[in-house]
Amino acid sequence: MKLSAFASSFLFDPGKPRFRDYQTLLDSDETELPGLEANLEQIGEYQRRLWANQARAVLLVTHGPDTSGKDSLIRTLATFADPAGFHAWSFSRPKGAETRHDFLWRVTPFLPGFGEMVAFNRSHHEAVIAERVWPVHEPDSYNWQNRYCSIRNFETHLVEEGTTIIKIWLNLSEDEHRQRLLKRLDKPRKRWKFDKSDIDGWEKRRQYEAFAEEALAETHTEQSPWFIVPGDRKPQARAIVAAILAEQLQRLAPDYPKEDETVLKEYRRLLAKNGVK
């Protein structure tokens, strides 16, 4: 994956596997970030070009602790997206038929087709992060190294077949995480989101983060990299991810497909025949 210097500055570094080694809030003033609105417009334009060309696909994977802003990030990124070629899917704890298949089975039907951009709110990576904290099967039945290998092979296959994968970890500080949980109680429109599992997640935060750190280290590749994005201020996080996504879309679909002059000629003839000039 080709990256600008800006995007590269947020790449996961295998030499720094701990989230505490990365910023949760940028030191620089937000005005130094790429303009959010301009990049949202670029996302809309180049996503339409991606859809028109039907040659490549984009999969945006977003992860982070509860309250890290995954939903609002995806909503923002989709501001100018063409709904014909954009879809978003959310994955919670596996249940029902999902538990009776291999862990990649449930995400496969929702992968982007050629021309599509798809955003995952959580993903197949939950199978090596959350599922280690809250097992779906007997704990001793898991082989985590096999799962890491399966994810690497799965993503390599997707990339080689034409899908660009952008994986985002929203890095949230403990204090900001606490404040956002409290806000869910203070704001009526957010109370519906509150669940007792949020408290369990808070209590197991360190365990969850340790497994997430290991998962990112095991599944970060040159073809399918992880980006660690400061998550304490949502406007900063949105501006960063929008810039990364816009950059990749522009590389994948710089132009609309070339028009077919024969088709246009016939189109003009039919319009003229029907009195349209």
Side-chain angles (χ1 to χ4, degrees):
M1 180 184 291
K2 293 182 179 180
L3 298 170
S4 65
F6 175 81
S8 296
S9 67
F10 297 99
L11 273 176
F12 173 79
D13 181 353
K16 297 193 306 180
R18 306 300 177 209
F19 293 145
R20 63 172 178 264
D21 295 330
Y22 298 86
Q23 291 177 302
T24 60
L25 180 67
L26 289 185
D27 296 331
S28 60
D29 190 271
E30 289 182 24
T31 57
E32 296 181 18
L33 289 171
L36 175 60
E37 189 72 14
N39 274 312
L40 291 179
E41 291 178 357
Q42 291 287 302
I43 289 170
E45 174 60 26
Y46 288 100
Q47 180 256 330
R48 284 191 288 275
R49 297 186 188 193
L50 182 80
W51 177 242
N53 279 282
Q54 303 277 302
R56 299 293 301 275
V58 172
L59 174 62
L60 176 71
V61 170
T62 63
H63 275 270
D66 289 332
T67 76
S68 58
K70 298 180 293 295
D71 284 323
S72 60
L73 170 63
I74 293 171
R75 282 199 304 271
T76 300
L77 296 174
T79 300
F80 298 107
D82 184 342
F86 173 77
H87 307 283
W89 305 101
S90 182
F91 297 93
S92 57
R93 180 182 172 83
K95 56 187 177 182
E98 296 173 341
T99 66
R100 299 193 296 275
H101 291 82
D102 70 273
F103 74 94
L104 294 171
W105 176 83
R106 68 175 181 151
V107 303
T108 302
F110 304 103
L111 293 171
F114 293 137
E116 292 181 332
M117 180 174 78
V118 165
F120 280 178
N121 179 342
R122 297 196 172 99
S123 71
H124 47 289
H125 289 271
E126 281 290 271
V128 289
I129 302 176
E131 207 165 328
R132 294 192 73 173
V133 183
W134 300 281
V136 175
H137 307 288
E138 290 298 321
D140 60 0
S141 68
Y142 290 94
N143 185 319
W144 302 114
Q145 290 303 318
N146 279 357
R147 287 199 169 195
Y148 292 142
C149 183
S150 293
I151 289 173
R152 291 193 298 268
N153 290 340
F154 177 64
E155 292 181 346
T156 295
H157 167 72
L158 293 178
V159 171
E160 290 177 346
E161 288 295 308
T163 299
T164 291
I165 304 174
I166 303 167
K167 299 184 293 192
I168 304 294
W169 179 268
L170 295 169
N171 201 27
L172 200 63
S173 69
E174 186 170 331
D175 183 61
E176 182 63 20
H177 190 180
R178 181 189 299 110
Q179 294 302 318
R180 291 187 188 181
L181 284 173
L182 291 172
K183 284 180 181 178
R184 284 190 175 177
L185 289 179
D186 294 340
K187 295 185 177 182
R189 71 183 183 86
K190 288 183 175 288
R191 287 176 189 162
W192 70 271
K193 287 187 172 185
F194 207 81
D195 189 89
K196 63 181 181 179
S197 64
D198 294 335
I199 299 302
D200 190 39
W202 169 258
E203 291 175 342
K204 296 178 179 178
R205 172 186 168 92
R206 296 190 186 282
Q207 184 183 16
Y208 178 89
E209 280 196 352
F211 290 138
E213 289 167 346
E214 180 180 312
L216 264 63
E218 291 284 351
T219 59
H220 173 79
T221 65
E222 185 177 350
Q223 288 182 305
S224 179
W226 279 100
F227 296 87
I228 311 295
V229 173
D232 277 8
R233 295 294 177 269
K234 291 183 180 180
Q236 285 187 349
R238 292 166 185 166
I240 293 166
V241 178
I244 294 171
L245 179 57
E247 173 187 315
Q248 290 306 312
L249 283 169
Q250 190 167 358
R251 291 183 188 279
L252 292 174
D255 298 300
Y256 285 102
K258 185 174 176 58
E259 64 272 15
D260 187 327
E261 200 54 50
T262 302
V263 173
L264 291 179
K265 183 177 180 180
E266 178 64 12
Y267 187 65
R268 294 188 187 99
R269 187 189 68 79
L270 290 172
L271 288 175
K273 182 179 178 181
N274 287 277
V276 180
K277 298 182 180 179

